[in-house]
Amino acid sequence: MEQNTTSMPLTSDLPIKKQTVCIFGTGDFGRSLGQKMMQCGYSIVFGSRNPQNSKMIPQGATVLSHVEAAETSDIIIVAINRLYYDFLERLKETLHGKVLVDISNNPKMNQYPEANAEYLARLLPESKVVKAFNTVSAWALQSGALDASRQVFVCGNDSKSKERVMDIVRSLGLTPLDKGSLLAAKEIEDYPLQLFPMWKYSIYMSLGLSIVLFIYCIIREVVYNSVVNNKDYSFFIIIRIPNRICPVVALILLALVYLPGIFAAVLQLYRGTKYRRFPDWLDKWMLCRKQLGLVALAYAFVHVLYTLVIPLRYYVTWKRNSYVLQQAFNNKTDPFDTVNGWISDSYLAMGILGFSLFVLLGITSLPSVSNSVNWREFRFVQSYLGYLTLVLCTAHTLLYGGKRFLLASYPWGLPAVYIFSLIIPCIVLVMKFILIFPCLDRPLTAIRQGWERKPKDLYEPHSNLGKSSV
Amino acid sequence: MEQNTTSMPLTSDLPIKKQTVCIFGTGDFGRSLGQKMMQCGYSIVFGSRNPQNSKMIPQGATVLSHVEAAETSDIIIVAINRLYYDFLERLKETLHGKVLVDISNNPKMNQYPEANAEYLARLLPESKVVKAFNTVSAWALQSGALDASRQVFVCGNDSKSKERVMDIVRSLGLTPLDKGSLLAAKEIEDYPLQLFPMWKYSIYMSLGLSIVLFIYCIIREVVYNSVVNNKDYSFFIIIRIPNRICPVVALILLALVYLPGIFAAVLQLYRGTKYRRFPDWLDKWMLCRKQLGLVALAYAFVHVLYTLVIPLRYYVTWKRNSYVLQQAFNNKTDPFDTVNGWISDSYLAMGILGFSLFVLLGITSLPSVSNSVNWREFRFVQSYLGYLTLVLCTAHTLLYGGKRFLLASYPWGLPAVYIFSLIIPCIVLVMKFILIFPCLDRPLTAIRQGWERKPKDLYEPHSNLGKSSV
Amino acid sequence: MEQNTTSMPLTSDLPIKKQTVCIFGTGDFGRSLGQKMMQCGYSIVFGSRNPQNSKMIPQGATVLSHVEAAETSDIIIVAINRLYYDFLERLKETLHGKVLVDISNNPKMNQYPEANAEYLARLLPESKVVKAFNTVSAWALQSGALDASRQVFVCGNDSKSKERVMDIVRSLGLTPLDKGSLLAAKEIEDYPLQLFPMWKYSIYMSLGLSIVLFIYCIIREVVYNSVVNNKDYSFFIIIRIPNRICPVVALILLALVYLPGIFAAVLQLYRGTKYRRFPDWLDKWMLCRKQLGLVALAYAFVHVLYTLVIPLRYYVTWKRNSYVLQQAFNNKTDPFDTVNGWISDSYLAMGILGFSLFVLLGITSLPSVSNSVNWREFRFVQSYLGYLTLVLCTAHTLLYGGKRFLLASYPWGLPAVYIFSLIIPCIVLVMKFILIFPCLDRPLTAIRQGWERKPKDLYEPHSNLGKSSV
């Protein structure tokens, strides 16, 4: 938020020293960038094939031919399509030694084998190509509505040129981020095309699970009651059934966060080394654990809210009132059942503690928090507290079942959904419990510290770095 | 948090290599900084007009005249008031080529047309002026209580000097942040004087709305019942009335987040171009949308808590008990009303889902999260999920009304407040719905990609950058 | 999250330009780093004492003797234990002018008086030593599971060498963080060994308090009822007693956040200067205020959840039903008590507002948020809003008591726990109230701006920097 403001006085006070920057191309982004730069005190010269007919350029800017424009400035922003880069080869002489800022993107990822900026650097080896600005939106530059990231990724092989471009970025009120040499250009060009690539698996999986369980619950609770008992419980689909599904999906996803770690441990024990790559599916699974966990947290959050509004629901208060009235009419009071008191309180308490720890895990996965803890602390939170969360949430579900196991009715033989949610967590917890035994834990720790099972001649005396390599 | 700790071993181990730094001026900040630097292993020489009488300097530091002090070090921290800078002109010779660190602030924003550091650089063109340390508080340096930002903004025209000052910043356990050339000095000097400038509009607006609605509700519920029904419902002002106001303010503010976008679209369609500036009020409005949204989230959060404690309130339990007892005494049970079950559950579910999405929007507006998503992802969350939130919250309010529309009583002809909250959201949603139609959406998209309605001669072949410029 | 993805295309596209890097030592971290670097396009030469017998090196890498290996590259990663560093002295000639990257850690903090990297630099003064990579885990490099921090702290005296190492860091998909000269090596080497050092006091204190209060409550509520009333209330230990303890601990911790500030003010007033250090315990206390506050928030969060599930508990619903049934059987309705309505609503409202502000304080202490506010804004939130939170939470507890003060029974003469929680907050608030009086506030403000009580000759005309030094 402060960035918005801090950039405002800047823009109004800059026009003291006028630096001339040349922009090749009068397309949308070129014009937007030019206008923004003029507002920040630069004088802009556009280079165009047809300087006479380029009427759309921002007021106050000059339009010249490409050669003339290039001669006015040391820095040339190349705002033209990659397809026309070869045309720049003809200006080789003029562009010799100058800083070329490549701001282009491609419509698709991996469209060309080579990044646009690398291609430009290959065409004009005597110029200093810097990649920048491609992650900024023209619309955002125009409207000033830079609510999103103000980070501008910059890369280039010549550090002086990079520094100059980063100064321009800063003077526009944006934050430059040095990404190293031109080798990073490919990555920078693909960046703005992404749409949550790491989240897809987790979101699809949770949605799929939700839909399947939703249909199952409708059959078991709505259709069954409608067909067999002739009761209309269709309004269950709004809160009661979602509130059965959310905790189930949350618990399954949480268990799936820890399952790949179990697989990895088993695989390493079996192979006797950590220096062989995991199968591809396991690698991918391990990389999206954070996303799985956060989606699980979202489901748990909705579950908590759904549960807390229970006493506000008309159906629930009506049912409670009927229950009291029935006792009043029958002139008797149901006695207090201590076991019920224990179970009811325990399952709520497990749920509360599990959810609180889960929220803590979620907070530590915020980028700024996880950046401020070291590896050991991160492991402590995500591994120890994570398993504690899983234990608490599984216990919560088991105790919830505890209340119902005996009086369970299986409409059409269908068990309640919460039973499904217990399968994977129990497998994970049992496996983890087994892996904790010293006979398995000791070799696993050794493997993870670099030991390999097949004996080899190791004369290297200085191989132990005293590094906690878990 | 880790920063606190990591800086502690540092301070105790540094005094190995002693570097001498000179500080001009023995005012509060000069002394505090000097003391801190001495603790971190620097040796400090103060420059003073009256070295004999300067008894307040920290123990271990030397005090000399300005000229003598300046000769002891390459780096001179100028801890004197801007008003006395002209006096430094006399030391021109001595300060030639040295690094001058300007750490001054002004009591008011924009007090001088020129930043203090720029003024200093103009007075002493042969010295290398670096702006730094002005955002740090003397009190914080003194007490070690640097809970707040450890970032020190640094700017200067000479990058070597800047690097040296940044090394000093680092050695004090602070984090230097390169803000570019001296042109940024103005901004850096204004920074510590701000007090949430972007939040003012949103907070004043929400407070104003709250007060007006509060008075309205008191008249409608407390005064009316007291005058007409002779009932004392004054305790409604604590929970019941705030819990009517909070959701209303939250929904109105949320709608105000999306209203300027609608205005902007209409304006662009009308003008046929995006290259003309918006009116000033619209610009400002668009810049404080994030703050509006976050204030709305705070109101929604309080509303959620107020709602969830409803079953704990003495008044509510008393009323429920009376209702049950009345049925018991009359020996009849109110039958279950399926429609009521539907409406009650739906409005709760809409509220829960709306609030959950709202929390998600709030999380993505945390600086570290919004910095780690690209423009496309940010748009997806803030625009699509944002509108979904608005739809859910509006539906929540409509369904809440649905329960009461028929049995509504208008005390003194005053409608319930929730009806007011629906006006702006409904306008926004209807307008957005209209703008989605292809006949409007297509030209709008074209305009936002740089197309202008008035036909012009466009021979520029390379104007399309393949950039998603929305 | 985006970092995960952005690094992935990078690794696959790099092998265009092969740079050779030499790694001394074939221990776990050396091999892991070597393998990762090879995946990112480097060619790796290992230096080993026994090149013939080093069979564990990653496929594709070369193993040579130390001297031969060192000659292949300008950059040598020293992945050997500090104990064997002296052996490198023999290679002085070969390593002359080369970049040595020290990646070592020690098993314990402060094991050696000198950082490993400084020791290496002393042994080989003609080489350019850069400290890096020691905060990264070998296991993380291996498995690609870099969920935690991707920050690599880098320090070194030669900025060119540092820049080269930072480029390598970047090309591995990690984020280099320049920590300045080799003086920072000690700090960087201790960093990965920490386990929440700042949190220990707060967590131990809160756990100790919780246990003591838990035992007290068990005696007062469970044992007393079991012995005197012969009732089994043992299930109270699950929700009811924790829900008494959580708010008490939260309120005490919150008050402890503000108590050291009071002590500091009193001390400064007494001493008449701010330029003398606080006693050590006060310094430490002030440094862990943030942690105290966040632990308090965690307790408050659990308290809120425990409170909100009250209406869902079997015991509570059973008790409410019994109460209603008793009225039904006696054929009378308890009348509504307005005072009770006021107190019940007030204490809930105070709690809600206090908790909401507390959450706001928690959010502003997230690193990315506190980095984006200036000192003045941080003070405003943490001091003004913090005290407001304390006032609200204390009022919440007082009002909670208000309902019970008169009808209080003291089983075995033991007062309720909430009474204990009021002591420290009331002391803090009374002291703060006293310190606000002008006769104390004015000298305190002066002292904090650098004024000292003992009159001194102050001829320094430029001592006022116009800096808000509070």
Side-chain angles (χ1 to χ4, degrees):
Chain A
M1 55 215 146
E2 87 304 352
Q3 295 284 32
N4 281 337
T5 25
T6 52
S7 72
M8 281 162 69
L10 189 64
T11 54
S12 56
D13 288 301
L14 266 175
I16 304 161
K17 295 178 192 172
K18 285 231 179 191
Q19 193 190 343
T20 302
V21 171
C22 166
I23 298 177
F24 275 10
T26 57
D28 179 33
F29 196 73
R31 276 179 289 160
S32 297
L33 190 59
Q35 197 168 37
K36 179 80 185 172
M37 289 180 76
M38 280 163 62
Q39 286 164 15
C40 294
Y42 290 91
S43 79
I44 299 296
V45 176
F46 281 95
S48 164
R49 274 206 190 171
N50 234 325
Q52 289 75 21
N53 290 312
S54 294
K55 284 170 190 152
M56 284 171 64
I57 60 136
Q59 252 191 324
T62 323
V63 197
L64 300 170
S65 75
H66 283 114
V67 179
E68 290 166 323
E71 274 161 0
T72 62
S73 170
D74 265 2
I75 299 185
I76 290 133
I77 294 174
V78 180
I80 61 181
N81 198 307
R82 178 197 172 113
L83 296 172
Y84 304 96
Y85 278 9
D86 48 2
F87 144 87
L88 293 172
E89 264 194 301
R90 281 181 259 155
L91 309 173
K92 221 170 200 167
E93 304 293 279
T94 325
L95 300 177
H96 187 280
K98 302 210 166 180
V99 180
L100 298 186
V101 187
D102 182 308
I103 62 166
S104 64
N105 280 327
N106 296 316
K108 276 188 302 179
M109 275 203 191
N110 301 315
Q111 202 174 16
Y112 302 102
E114 200 181 19
N116 298 350
E118 288 177 300
Y119 173 55
L120 186 62
R122 194 159 54 78
L123 286 176
L124 299 157
E126 305 298 320
S127 304
K128 293 153 187 166
V129 174
V130 175
K131 180 91 210 175
F133 286 114
N134 72 308
T135 54
V136 182
S137 132
W139 162 241
L141 273 178
Q142 203 61 40
S143 66
L146 282 159
D147 304 316
S149 177
R150 304 179 148 267
Q151 290 182 338
V152 173
F153 297 133
V154 180
C155 75
N157 293 328
D158 182 65
S159 65
K160 274 266 167 70
S161 315
K162 203 158 60 173
E163 198 54 58
R164 288 184 69 186
V165 174
M166 284 165 78
D167 275 341
I168 294 178
V169 171
R170 271 191 212 101
S171 69
L172 303 186
L174 304 165
T175 311
L177 215 85
D178 188 349
K179 298 288 270 184
S181 73
L182 263 195
L183 289 172
K186 182 90 186 160
E187 184 193 334
I188 297 180
E189 286 175 13
D190 280 345
Y191 182 68
L193 298 168
Q194 294 169 3
L195 189 63
F196 298 113
M198 302 302 292
W199 289 85
K200 266 168 205 161
Y201 294 109
S202 316
I203 286 173
Y204 288 155
M205 164 160 268
S206 63
L207 287 183
L209 257 175
S210 305
I211 290 166
V212 170
L213 292 172
F214 194 67
I215 294 167
Y216 180 86
C217 284
I218 285 181
I219 293 170
R220 191 178 175 272
E221 304 202 22
V222 178
V223 178
Y224 176 83
N225 272 312
S226 164
V227 171
V228 177
N229 299 331
N230 203 20
K231 276 182 183 167
D232 180 14
Y233 283 160
S234 52
F235 68 93
F236 277 8
I237 62 168
I238 308 174
I239 291 198
R240 192 183 168 116
I241 290 176
N243 198 24
R244 291 200 194 291
I245 292 166
C246 284
V248 168
V249 175
L251 188 57
I252 291 176
L253 291 183
L254 182 60
L256 289 180
V257 170
Y258 293 97
L259 195 52
I262 303 279
F263 282 155
V266 171
L267 212 62
Q268 288 179 329
L269 273 175
Y270 173 77
R271 289 172 171 177
T273 177
K274 70 163 186 177
Y275 292 105
R276 275 169 59 197
R277 284 199 87 97
F278 293 133
D280 220 42
W281 58 268
L282 190 55
D283 255 0
K284 271 192 192 144
W285 192 348
M286 289 184 93
L287 282 173
C288 69
R289 285 182 294 178
K290 178 177 162 182
Q291 284 73 28
L292 276 171
L294 289 176
V295 173
L297 179 55
Y299 271 83
F301 181 78
V302 174
H303 166 54
V304 167
L305 285 181
Y306 269 135
T307 304
L308 291 178
V309 298
I310 284 177
L312 297 171
R313 293 172 59 203
Y314 166 72
Y315 171 71
V316 173
T317 49
W318 177 85
K319 220 171 142 190
R320 279 195 187 164
N321 290 348
S322 313
Y323 172 68
V324 174
L325 286 170
Q326 209 147 9
Q327 291 179 57
F329 297 149
N330 300 338
N331 218 349
K332 70 172 190 89
T333 323
D334 284 351
F336 180 70
D337 176 4
T338 316
V339 175
N340 232 336
W342 268 94
I343 291 181
S344 150
D345 276 15
S346 305
Y347 105 88
L348 288 170
M350 291 293 132
I352 287 169
L353 296 176
F355 178 68
S356 305
L357 273 181
F358 209 163
V359 168
L360 187 67
L361 293 179
I363 291 170
T364 56
S365 72
L366 284 172
S368 69
V369 178
S370 66
N371 269 342
S372 70
V373 297
N374 66 32
W375 183 253
R376 199 176 159 214
E377 294 165 338
F378 186 81
R379 285 266 316 168
F380 177 82
V381 171
Q382 294 293 337
S383 180
Y384 293 91
L385 296 191
Y387 265 107
L388 188 54
T389 309
L390 185 59
V391 168
L392 286 168
C393 292
T394 310
H396 168 68
T397 314
L398 280 169
L399 283 164
Y400 169 84
K403 276 172 67 182
R404 285 161 184 76
F405 257 137
L406 295 181
L407 33 128
S409 60
Y410 292 85
W412 290 336
L414 300 174
V417 272
Y418 75 87
I419 289 173
F420 300 126
S421 74
L422 286 167
I423 301 167
I424 303 178
C426 288
I427 292 173
V428 170
L429 290 177
V430 167
M431 289 296 293
K432 183 71 189 176
F433 183 71
I434 293 171
L435 285 169
I436 284 169
F437 279 104
C439 60
L440 290 172
D441 188 48
R442 227 175 300 131
L444 188 61
T445 307
I447 286 167
R448 288 185 174 173
Q449 283 170 356
W451 176 82
E452 300 195 59
R453 199 185 289 135
K454 292 168 237 145
K456 283 182 179 170
D457 306 350
L458 293 168
Y459 295 109
E460 198 70 7
H462 35 55
S463 60
N464 174 23
L465 274 168
K467 176 182 292 283
S468 69
S469 44
V470 187
Chain B
M1 57 215 144
E2 87 305 351
Q3 294 284 30
N4 281 337
T5 26
T6 53
S7 71
M8 282 163 70
L10 189 63
T11 56
S12 57
D13 288 302
L14 266 176
I16 304 161
K17 295 178 192 172
K18 284 229 179 194
Q19 193 191 344
T20 302
V21 170
C22 167
I23 298 178
F24 275 12
T26 58
D28 181 33
F29 196 73
R31 277 179 288 160
S32 298
L33 189 59
Q35 196 167 38
K36 179 80 185 172
M37 288 179 75
M38 280 162 61
Q39 286 165 16
C40 295
Y42 290 91
S43 79
I44 299 296
V45 176
F46 281 95
S48 164
R49 274 204 189 173
N50 234 324
Q52 288 76 21
N53 291 310
S54 294
K55 285 171 191 150
M56 286 172 63
I57 61 136
Q59 252 190 324
T62 323
V63 197
L64 300 170
S65 75
H66 284 115
V67 179
E68 290 167 322
E71 274 161 1
T72 63
S73 170
D74 264 3
I75 298 185
I76 290 133
I77 295 174
V78 181
I80 61 181
N81 198 306
R82 178 197 171 112
L83 296 172
Y84 305 96
Y85 277 9
D86 46 5
F87 145 87
L88 292 172
E89 264 194 303
R90 282 182 257 154
L91 307 174
K92 221 168 200 169
E93 304 293 278
T94 326
L95 300 177
H96 186 281
K98 301 210 166 181
V99 179
L100 298 186
V101 187
D102 183 310
I103 63 166
S104 64
N105 279 326
N106 295 316
K108 277 189 301 181
M109 274 203 190
N110 302 315
Q111 202 174 15
Y112 303 100
E114 199 181 19
N116 297 351
E118 288 177 299
Y119 173 55
L120 187 63
R122 192 159 53 78
L123 287 175
L124 298 158
E126 304 299 319
S127 304
K128 291 153 187 167
V129 174
V130 175
K131 181 90 210 175
F133 287 114
N134 71 309
T135 54
V136 182
S137 133
W139 163 242
L141 273 178
Q142 203 61 40
S143 67
L146 283 159
D147 304 315
S149 177
R150 305 182 146 264
Q151 290 181 340
V152 173
F153 297 133
V154 180
C155 76
N157 293 328
D158 182 65
S159 65
K160 273 267 166 72
S161 317
K162 204 159 58 175
E163 197 54 57
R164 288 184 68 185
V165 174
M166 284 166 77
D167 275 341
I168 295 178
V169 172
R170 269 189 215 104
S171 69
L172 303 186
L174 304 164
T175 312
L177 215 85
D178 188 349
K179 297 289 270 184
S181 72
L182 264 194
L183 289 172
K186 182 90 184 158
E187 183 193 336
I188 298 179
E189 288 175 13
D190 280 346
Y191 181 68
L193 299 167
Q194 294 169 4
L195 188 63
F196 298 114
M198 303 302 292
W199 290 84
K200 269 170 202 157
Y201 294 107
S202 315
I203 287 172
Y204 288 156
M205 165 161 266
S206 63
L207 287 182
L209 255 176
S210 306
I211 290 166
V212 170
L213 292 172
F214 194 65
I215 294 167
Y216 180 87
C217 283
I218 284 180
I219 292 171
R220 191 176 176 274
E221 304 201 24
V222 179
V223 178
Y224 176 83
N225 273 311
S226 163
V227 171
V228 177
N229 300 331
N230 203 20
K231 275 182 182 165
D232 179 13
Y233 282 161
S234 52
F235 67 92
F236 278 8
I237 62 168
I238 308 174
I239 291 197
R240 192 184 166 115
I241 291 176
N243 199 22
R244 292 202 192 292
I245 293 166
C246 284
V248 168
V249 175
L251 188 56
I252 291 176
L253 292 183
L254 182 61
L256 289 180
V257 171
Y258 293 97
L259 194 53
I262 302 279
F263 283 155
V266 171
L267 213 62
Q268 289 179 330
L269 272 175
Y270 172 76
R271 288 172 170 178
T273 177
K274 71 163 186 178
Y275 291 106
R276 275 170 59 198
R277 283 197 88 97
F278 292 133
D280 220 42
W281 57 269
L282 190 55
D283 254 359
K284 271 192 193 145
W285 192 349
M286 290 185 92
L287 281 173
C288 69
R289 285 181 295 177
K290 177 177 163 183
Q291 283 74 26
L292 276 171
L294 289 176
V295 172
L297 179 55
Y299 272 83
F301 182 77
V302 174
H303 166 54
V304 167
L305 285 181
Y306 269 135
T307 304
L308 291 178
V309 297
I310 284 176
L312 297 171
R313 292 172 60 204
Y314 166 70
Y315 171 70
V316 173
T317 49
W318 178 85
K319 220 170 141 190
R320 280 196 186 163
N321 290 347
S322 313
Y323 172 69
V324 174
L325 287 170
Q326 208 149 9
Q327 291 179 58
F329 298 149
N330 298 340
N331 218 349
K332 69 172 189 89
T333 323
D334 283 351
F336 181 70
D337 177 2
T338 315
V339 174
N340 234 335
W342 267 96
I343 291 181
S344 150
D345 276 14
S346 306
Y347 106 89
L348 287 170
M350 291 292 133
I352 287 169
L353 295 177
F355 179 68
S356 305
L357 273 181
F358 209 163
V359 168
L360 187 67
L361 294 179
I363 291 170
T364 55
S365 72
L366 284 172
S368 69
V369 178
S370 66
N371 270 340
S372 69
V373 297
N374 66 31
W375 183 254
R376 197 174 159 215
E377 294 165 338
F378 186 81
R379 286 266 316 168
F380 177 81
V381 171
Q382 294 293 338
S383 180
Y384 292 91
L385 295 191
Y387 266 106
L388 188 54
T389 308
L390 186 58
V391 168
L392 286 170
C393 293
T394 310
H396 168 66
T397 313
L398 281 169
L399 283 164
Y400 169 84
K403 276 172 67 182
R404 283 158 185 77
F405 258 135
L406 295 181
L407 35 127
S409 61
Y410 291 85
W412 290 338
L414 301 173
V417 273
Y418 76 86
I419 290 173
F420 300 125
S421 74
L422 286 167
I423 301 167
I424 303 179
C426 288
I427 293 173
V428 170
L429 290 177
V430 167
M431 290 296 293
K432 183 72 189 176
F433 184 71
I434 293 171
L435 285 169
I436 283 169
F437 280 104
C439 60
L440 290 173
D441 187 48
R442 227 175 300 129
L444 188 61
T445 307
I447 286 167
R448 289 185 172 173
Q449 283 170 356
W451 177 81
E452 301 194 61
R453 197 185 292 135
K454 291 168 239 148
K456 284 182 179 170
D457 308 349
L458 295 169
Y459 296 109
E460 197 72 6
H462 34 58
S463 58
N464 175 22
L465 274 169
K467 179 183 291 283
S468 71
S469 44
V470 184
Chain C
M1 55 216 146
E2 88 303 352
Q3 296 282 32
N4 281 339
T5 24
T6 52
S7 72
M8 282 161 68
L10 189 63
T11 56
S12 57
D13 289 302
L14 267 175
I16 304 160
K17 295 176 192 173
K18 284 230 179 192
Q19 192 190 343
T20 302
V21 171
C22 166
I23 298 179
F24 275 10
T26 57
D28 180 33
F29 196 72
R31 277 179 286 158
S32 297
L33 190 59
Q35 196 168 38
K36 179 81 186 172
M37 288 179 76
M38 280 162 61
Q39 286 164 14
C40 295
Y42 290 92
S43 78
I44 299 296
V45 177
F46 281 94
S48 164
R49 276 206 188 171
N50 235 325
Q52 289 76 20
N53 291 311
S54 294
K55 286 172 188 150
M56 285 173 62
I57 60 136
Q59 254 192 322
T62 322
V63 196
L64 300 170
S65 75
H66 284 115
V67 178
E68 290 167 323
E71 274 163 359
T72 62
S73 169
D74 266 3
I75 298 185
I76 291 133
I77 294 174
V78 181
I80 61 180
N81 198 306
R82 179 198 170 112
L83 296 171
Y84 305 97
Y85 277 9
D86 46 5
F87 146 86
L88 292 173
E89 263 192 301
R90 282 183 258 157
L91 308 173
K92 221 169 201 168
E93 304 292 277
T94 325
L95 300 177
H96 186 282
K98 301 209 165 179
V99 180
L100 298 187
V101 187
D102 181 310
I103 62 166
S104 65
N105 279 326
N106 295 316
K108 276 189 300 179
M109 276 204 190
N110 301 314
Q111 203 174 16
Y112 303 101
E114 201 182 17
N116 298 351
E118 287 177 299
Y119 173 56
L120 186 62
R122 193 159 52 79
L123 287 174
L124 298 158
E126 305 298 319
S127 304
K128 293 155 188 167
V129 174
V130 175
K131 180 91 211 176
F133 287 113
N134 71 308
T135 54
V136 183
S137 133
W139 162 242
L141 273 178
Q142 204 59 40
S143 66
L146 283 158
D147 304 317
S149 178
R150 306 182 146 264
Q151 290 181 341
V152 173
F153 297 134
V154 180
C155 76
N157 293 328
D158 183 66
S159 65
K160 274 266 166 70
S161 317
K162 204 157 60 175
E163 198 54 58
R164 287 183 68 185
V165 175
M166 285 166 77
D167 275 342
I168 294 178
V169 172
R170 269 190 214 102
S171 69
L172 302 187
L174 304 164
T175 311
L177 215 84
D178 188 349
K179 298 288 271 184
S181 73
L182 263 195
L183 290 171
K186 182 89 185 157
E187 183 193 335
I188 297 179
E189 287 175 13
D190 281 345
Y191 182 69
L193 298 168
Q194 294 170 3
L195 188 64
F196 298 115
M198 302 303 291
W199 289 85
K200 266 168 204 161
Y201 295 107
S202 315
I203 286 172
Y204 288 155
M205 165 160 268
S206 63
L207 287 183
L209 255 175
S210 305
I211 290 166
V212 170
L213 292 172
F214 194 66
I215 294 167
Y216 180 87
C217 283
I218 285 180
I219 293 170
R220 190 178 178 274
E221 303 202 23
V222 178
V223 178
Y224 176 84
N225 273 313
S226 163
V227 171
V228 177
N229 299 332
N230 202 20
K231 275 182 182 166
D232 180 14
Y233 282 161
S234 53
F235 67 93
F236 277 9
I237 62 168
I238 307 173
I239 291 198
R240 192 180 167 120
I241 290 176
N243 198 23
R244 291 201 194 291
I245 292 165
C246 285
V248 168
V249 175
L251 188 56
I252 291 176
L253 292 182
L254 183 61
L256 289 179
V257 171
Y258 293 97
L259 194 54
I262 302 280
F263 283 155
V266 171
L267 212 62
Q268 288 179 330
L269 272 175
Y270 173 76
R271 288 173 171 177
T273 176
K274 71 163 186 176
Y275 292 105
R276 275 170 58 198
R277 282 198 87 97
F278 293 133
D280 219 43
W281 56 270
L282 190 54
D283 256 0
K284 272 192 192 144
W285 192 348
M286 289 184 93
L287 282 173
C288 70
R289 285 182 294 178
K290 177 178 163 182
Q291 284 74 26
L292 276 171
L294 289 176
V295 173
L297 180 56
Y299 272 83
F301 182 77
V302 173
H303 166 53
V304 167
L305 285 181
Y306 268 136
T307 304
L308 291 178
V309 298
I310 284 178
L312 296 172
R313 292 171 60 203
Y314 167 70
Y315 170 71
V316 173
T317 49
W318 177 84
K319 220 171 139 191
R320 279 197 185 164
N321 290 348
S322 313
Y323 172 69
V324 174
L325 287 171
Q326 209 149 8
Q327 291 179 58
F329 296 151
N330 299 340
N331 216 350
K332 71 175 187 91
T333 322
D334 283 350
F336 180 70
D337 177 3
T338 316
V339 174
N340 233 335
W342 267 93
I343 292 181
S344 151
D345 277 14
S346 305
Y347 107 87
L348 288 171
M350 292 291 133
I352 288 169
L353 295 176
F355 178 68
S356 304
L357 272 181
F358 210 163
V359 168
L360 187 67
L361 294 179
I363 291 170
T364 56
S365 73
L366 284 172
S368 69
V369 178
S370 66
N371 269 341
S372 70
V373 297
N374 65 32
W375 184 253
R376 199 177 159 211
E377 294 165 338
F378 185 80
R379 286 267 316 169
F380 177 82
V381 172
Q382 295 292 337
S383 181
Y384 293 91
L385 296 192
Y387 266 105
L388 188 54
T389 309
L390 186 58
V391 168
L392 286 168
C393 293
T394 310
H396 168 66
T397 314
L398 280 169
L399 283 164
Y400 170 83
K403 276 172 68 182
R404 284 159 185 78
F405 258 135
L406 295 180
L407 34 128
S409 62
Y410 292 85
W412 290 337
L414 301 172
V417 272
Y418 76 87
I419 290 173
F420 300 126
S421 74
L422 286 167
I423 301 167
I424 303 178
C426 288
I427 292 172
V428 170
L429 291 177
V430 167
M431 290 295 294
K432 183 71 189 177
F433 184 71
I434 293 170
L435 285 169
I436 283 169
F437 279 103
C439 59
L440 290 172
D441 187 49
R442 227 174 300 130
L444 189 62
T445 306
I447 286 167
R448 289 186 171 171
Q449 284 170 357
W451 177 81
E452 301 195 60
R453 199 185 290 134
K454 291 168 238 148
K456 283 183 179 171
D457 307 348
L458 294 169
Y459 295 109
E460 198 70 7
H462 35 56
S463 59
N464 174 21
L465 275 168
K467 176 182 293 280
S468 70
S469 45
V470 186

